[in-house]
Amino acid sequence: MDTDTPRAPALDELDLAIVHALQIQPRVPWVRVGKVLEVDAVTVARRWERLVGAGVAWVDGYLSPDHDEGVYAQVEIDMNGRLSEASIGLLARDPQVLSLKQTSGGRDLLAIVAAADLDGLARLSGERMSQLPGVRAVRSHVITAAPFEGASWRLRSLTRQQRGALAVERPALPDEPLRPLDRRIALALGADGRMPLTDLAESVGASAATVRRRLRVLTGTGRLSLRCALARPLTGFPVSVVYFGSVPAQHLDETVNALRTLPGLRMCSITAGAHNLMLDIWLPTLSEVHTTEALLNSRLAHLDLRITERAVVLRTVKHVGRILDRRGHSVGSAPLNYWDS
């Protein structure tokens, strides 16, 4: 299923600074980025287009699992070690699959999926996914909360002053039900998170003023996450590990608060299943897989945390709607769209 992207450019300090700026404000105008970095805006735009064209950086949007009205789950998929590339390709392009990883350990693939309700999740995992060629077993762990996800992760390329110049205070807005227009906006931004407002308005069939207003509400309430991503091998954290843990229910909130300062934490899912905590952590080296586990066990021993299993990610096939090649570079998108399925 892979289609290799062009040869990746060598990233310099300016490239990383641009990515960091977009991590802070994914839709920030190039003029403002240029002013903060003391570089011409045309140069900034040209650099970004080069990174996007090579598949090493991108901006996309998605409805945050912790604020969405759908049902999300971590799904383990067993293929008895005989992975079917055709089935993996179908899973990656499925609009109900948000992320897909090939892992070591007790499953071949680990996916994050979404459905409108529990019955939809049952049909997705029990009828569609389990019937794919090569699939031997499917186990679902319903996500009851996702208190931390990867849109919060940052590079360390900008100074404190530069970060402050890019930051924007967002007023607290009252939450409200999602509208069909909101879902169309999320779907369009899933393919291109920096889509110009006029193009976005045309794509979703609304006026630019209406789309601007809905974007403000969606981002202000946390319902829409906008993320600037960099191919993981270029982040300095080439190793991804999923830790499966359990903690007494009365300690979940305190455990999550303690985990927020953990370096490399990309996602924390609270699940209803054999494990009630699943952590996706990026690490600099394989040797840190067990030292990180030891750190977790020691730091959270007073909360009775137990890491019951760990799985090294061998290959990320899809990451938050973005299809990746074997180098972790973007080769396309299949944004989350469970509401039309």
Side-chain angles (χ1 to χ4, degrees), residues 37-38 68 85 94 171 194 226 233-234 252 311 315 326 333:
L37 301 182
E38 299 181 345
D68 192 11
E85 285 297 316
D94 192 311
R194 284 189 60 84
L226 291 169
L234 304 176
L252 273 171
R315 169 189 171 196
R326 292 182 179 274
S333 64

Side-chain angles (χ1 to χ4, degrees), residues 67-226:
H67 294 84
D68 192 11
E69 296 166 351
V71 176
Y72 287 75
Q74 297 264 10
V75 178
E76 299 179 86
I77 303 169
D78 290 342
M79 291 185 164
N80 286 350
R82 300 175 181 176
L83 275 69
S84 162
E85 285 297 316
S87 294
I88 291 174
L90 289 172
L91 286 168
R93 293 179 176 85
D94 192 311
Q96 288 189 253
V97 175
L98 183 65
S99 297
L100 180 66
K101 305 180 181 82
Q102 180 185 350
T103 72
S104 66
R107 82 284 311 146
D108 293 303
L109 300 171
L110 182 63
I112 298 176
V113 306
D117 50 33
L118 290 171
D119 180 65
L121 177 62
R123 285 186 283 109
L124 172 64
S125 60
E127 297 176 14
R128 283 171 44 199
M129 298 177 79
S130 64
Q131 298 302 312
L132 289 173
V135 172
R136 296 292 179 265
V138 174
R139 294 180 297 277
S140 298
H141 307 264
V142 175
I143 297 174
T144 59
F148 187 94
E149 47 92 16
S152 307
W153 187 82
R154 300 285 185 266
L155 291 171
R156 299 179 180 179
S157 299
L158 301 181
T159 66
R160 179 180 297 180
Q161 183 178 7
Q162 289 172 321
R163 297 195 301 271
L166 287 163
V168 172
E169 287 292 332
R170 288 194 175 95
L173 298 173
D175 207 352
E176 58 184 64
L178 283 170
R179 305 177 183 181
L181 173 60
D182 300 336
R183 297 194 182 279
R184 296 199 300 273
I185 289 172
L187 185 60
L189 293 178
D192 178 8
R194 284 189 60 84
M195 184 183 295
L197 186 64
T198 53
D199 294 348
L200 179 59
E202 182 179 356
S203 174
V204 300
S207 70
T210 298
V211 171
R212 182 185 292 109
R213 184 167 58 251
R214 293 312 301 167
L215 272 175
R216 180 174 178 271
V217 171
L218 289 170
T219 55
T221 58
R223 286 197 170 239
L224 178 70
S225 289
L226 291 169

Side-chain angles (χ1 to χ4, degrees), residues 18-30 33 48 58-61 151 154 166 170 192-195 219 225-229:
I18 293 170
V19 171
H20 192 174
L22 295 189
Q23 288 179 328
I24 297 170
Q25 287 293 334
R27 291 180 60 85
V28 63
W30 294 132
V33 177
W48 175 250
W58 57 90
V59 172
D60 47 28
R154 300 285 185 266
L166 287 163
R170 288 194 175 95
D192 178 8
R194 284 189 60 84
M195 184 183 295
T219 55
S225 289
L226 291 169
R227 175 200 305 240
C228 178

Side-chain angles (χ1 to χ4, degrees), residues 243-247 274-279 305-309:
Y243 294 94
F244 300 77
S246 292
V247 67
H275 324 278
N276 64 3
L277 204 60
M278 296 178 69
L279 308 175
L305 172 70
R306 293 184 299 107
I307 300 298
T308 54
E309 192 179 351

Side-chain angles (χ1 to χ4, degrees), residues 254-300:
E254 190 176 352
T255 300
V256 168
N257 288 333
L259 287 169
R260 291 184 187 279
T261 60
L262 185 69
L265 179 64
R266 294 289 294 185
M267 184 171 184
C268 171
S269 301
I270 299 174
T271 62
H275 324 278
N276 64 3
L277 204 60
M278 296 178 69
L279 308 175
D280 188 344
I281 300 177
W282 288 10
L283 300 172
T285 64
L286 273 171
S287 63
E288 296 189 44
V289 172
H290 292 295
T291 56
T292 298
E293 180 176 341
L295 174 65
L296 287 168
N297 286 331
S298 62
R299 180 184 291 184
L300 300 176

